[in-house]
Amino acid sequence: MRRQPLLLERPFGAQLVLAIVIPALYGLITGLLLGVNSAVYAVLSLLGVLGGIVAGYDHNGADEGFVRGVIGGLLFGTFILVGHSVFGMEAKAKLPDPHGVLVVITTVFGAILGSIGGALRGRRERSEEARAAIA
């Protein structure tokens, strides 16, 4: 079975898109939808949890996943607020006061989720190495 490449094994353009553009764009869309519907905002936020774990899985170990999670969570939370501000609609879901606390929350959760993804990848890599050594 072919394994998913690590982020650093991908071309530089792909690294930028995966690590910077996607979390920022996803946050921007989530920020727009914050002004449309609270349920949709909640669903997108929860899907961001899955995204954090998947992003961490691009790294071999919890420490590398942690760094990716910090960056992704920071971008995601910041761009939720940017999107909400740019589109100027009234929030349909409650945001923390002050709003900047949202960025702290998404960054902390991003770090945790990225660590989980990286740890899962690291454990899988070690397991495959152990099986290969036995065979």
Side-chain angles (χ1 to χ4, degrees):
M1 176 166 75
R2 188 170 175 261
R3 71 175 180 85
Q4 172 184 329
L6 297 169
L7 182 68
L8 293 175
E9 294 173 346
R10 297 174 188 261
F12 182 70
Q15 292 177 31
L16 285 177
V17 168
L18 290 169
I20 307 292
V21 174
I22 289 176
L25 184 60
Y26 190 70
L28 193 66
I29 292 167
T30 303
L32 165 66
L33 294 173
L34 170 62
V36 174
N37 185 298
S38 64
V40 171
Y41 171 74
V43 167
L44 289 178
S45 296
L46 290 174
L47 286 174
V49 169
L50 179 61
I53 294 171
V54 169
Y57 200 79
D58 275 348
H59 302 276
N60 195 9
D63 53 344
E64 292 179 20
F66 173 85
V67 174
R68 172 80 177 278
V70 167
I71 293 166
L74 179 66
L75 288 167
F76 176 61
T78 299
F79 276 87
I80 288 174
L81 296 180
V82 167
H84 176 62
S85 178
V86 165
F87 297 111
M89 294 184 270
E90 181 180 333
K92 304 297 185 203
K94 181 149 176 51
L95 290 174
D97 188 29
H99 293 337
V101 172
L102 177 68
V103 177
V104 173
I105 293 168
T106 59
T107 302
V108 169
F109 273 100
I112 293 167
L113 297 168
S115 294
I116 291 169
L120 290 171
R121 173 72 175 256
R123 185 172 69 188
R124 179 174 176 223
E125 295 284 328
R126 287 187 301 278
S127 174
E128 288 178 359
E129 288 172 5
R131 278 193 296 255
I134 293 171

